[in-house]
Amino acid sequence: MNLRRSLLRGIAASLLLAAAPAALAQAYPSKMIRFVVPYPAGGPLDAIARMIAEKMREGMGQQVIVDNKPGAGGNLGADIVAKSAPDGYTIVMGAVATHAINPTLFAKMPYDPVRDFAPVSLVASVPNVLVMNPDIASRHGIASVTDLVKYARAHPGQLNFASGGNGSAGHLAGELLKSMAKVSMVHIPYAGAAPAQLGLLAGQTDLMFDNLASASQNIRAGKLKALAVTTARRAEAVPDLPTISEAGKAEGLGGFDINTWFGVLAPAGTPAPVVERLNAEIRKALQSADVRERMAKLGAEPSPTSPEQFAALIQAELKKYAAVVKASGAKVD
């Protein structure tokens, strides 16, 4: 009899555990969601996080509060979420820096980008663009990626490229081009992408791998000469501009692919039904016409994925950037 009771209790417990995820999904969310943005307010990542939060409020019937927690290249905010309760009430807008570049760039990391997070969905990809000071490009006879590579090979170390700092996406794009095309250029790091672009406009530097959203106005005004986008596919915002991969294929640049991406993650251990609910709401937000229109103005392309697809992207990007960061010699103590 006792054995029978034990078996029945075990079966009942198993049924309760099996039913728990469904019940949790039905009850979630029952309170405010904290959406951590690990960068200052005002940038494209922050702006898109606020768009998503607005749509999530409508779809989930709860407040979704964006909480900017900048610091340590995004590591501070990401770490807050990594160490939060895995209940779906604290999420983060992670990025290529926090989940692909920083783990190799920083000597010490407060979190593991894979073990400590449950990927929810990629949100957007913002293409970068290879731009030159037009006067310098004209002086050196550079009108294409091929021209740039040939000039750099003929004049090793004489061209320089600006970036927003050591280990930034712009810096690593330059290092990848140097490695793949086998050219020598000097890296000039600035304290941020905006000062770097000002230096390029003033002729203090020769070229830069800039965010398309930031560079587009000066490209249209003729103040910057765009040679190519850094992504594997052409950018929707500038479909006539080739990719570095296609424009520089003959010079060893086939397969070149660098882009600024960001997406939503929850703490590791967040129940699958909660992750699925968040994923569904993010997908719905990215399909809305007004969000897509507002993102297009920022040069961002909506890129929703399944949690599994986002996890696979993070793994692939970690591997790619580990090699690029090590080749660059960049390190943050």
Side-chain angles (χ1 to χ4, degrees):
M1 183 68 73
N2 287 337
L3 178 60
R4 185 180 177 188
R5 285 200 191 109
S6 296
L7 286 170
L8 288 171
R9 280 197 210 102
I11 293 169
S14 298
L15 289 172
L16 284 171
L17 286 171
L24 182 63
Q26 195 169 13
Y28 176 83
S30 59
K31 61 181 181 179
M32 181 194 81
I33 296 170
R34 182 189 185 194
F35 194 177
V36 175
V37 169
Y39 298 99
L45 183 149
D46 174 72
I48 293 171
R50 291 176 187 278
M51 294 178 206
I52 299 296
E54 180 184 326
K55 292 296 182 182
M56 288 173 69
R57 285 185 207 113
E58 296 171 6
M60 303 177 90
Q62 292 290 344
Q63 287 294 307
V64 181
I65 305 299
V66 173
D67 187 8
N68 295 88
K69 292 292 182 183
N75 289 350
L76 178 64
D79 187 47
I80 288 171
V81 176
K83 293 177 171 59
S84 294
D87 54 11
Y89 290 101
T90 306
I91 57 176
V92 66
M93 184 71 99
V96 61
T98 60
H99 281 75
I101 296 173
N102 291 358
T104 305
L105 179 67
F106 281 74
K108 292 182 180 179
M109 284 290 288
Y111 59 84
D112 184 288
V114 175
R115 186 186 63 234
D116 294 339
F117 294 89
V120 176
S121 177
L122 184 65
V123 168
S125 172
V126 182
N128 295 325
V129 59
L130 169 55
V131 288
M132 290 193 72
N133 177 290
D135 294 334
I136 292 172
S138 177
R139 190 186 317 146
H140 296 325
I142 299 173
S144 67
V145 172
T146 296
D147 292 341
L148 173 66
V149 172
K150 287 182 176 178
Y151 184 89
R153 284 176 181 159
H155 305 84
Q158 291 187 27
L159 284 177
N160 59 54
F161 69 99
S163 84
N166 285 320
S168 64
H171 174 205
L172 298 181
E175 295 296 341
L176 184 60
L177 185 141
K178 285 167 57 179
S179 173
M180 292 180 70
K182 296 179 173 55
V183 298
S184 173
M185 296 189 298
V186 179
H187 174 227
I188 310 294
Y190 283 76
Q197 190 187 109
L198 289 174
L200 180 62
L201 289 166
Q204 297 169 359
T205 54
D206 302 324
L207 57 106
M208 179 179 178
F209 297 83
D210 200 4
N211 181 282
L212 180 59
S214 302
S216 57
Q217 185 175 345
N218 283 318
I219 292 171
R220 287 194 296 268
K223 296 178 180 179
L224 289 175
K225 181 176 181 59
L227 299 183
V229 292
T230 64
T231 41
R233 295 183 295 109
R234 292 194 180 199
E236 294 175 7
V238 282
D240 294 333
L241 197 62
T243 67
I244 289 177
S245 178
E246 62 180 298
K249 188 174 182 180
E251 307 302 332
L253 292 168
F256 189 101
D257 182 18
I258 293 274
N259 77 90
T260 300
W261 55 259
F262 34 90
V264 176
L265 302 101
T270 301
V274 172
V275 171
E276 289 164 9
R277 177 70 192 279
L278 287 166
N279 179 274
E281 292 296 334
I282 291 164
R283 283 177 172 273
K284 190 162 62 175
L286 293 173
Q287 288 166 358
S288 65
D290 60 325
V291 167
R292 296 182 76 87
E293 183 180 346
R294 288 153 70 190
M295 285 178 67
K297 290 177 181 177
L298 295 171
E301 298 179 5
S303 309
T305 64
S306 68
E308 295 76 18
Q309 288 169 329
F310 189 23
L313 171 71
I314 291 170
Q315 292 276 14
E317 292 284 276
L318 272 167
K319 185 177 179 181
K320 177 175 79 177
Y321 282 106
V324 178
V325 171
K326 286 173 184 174
S328 76
K331 207 70 183 172
V332 177
D333 294 323

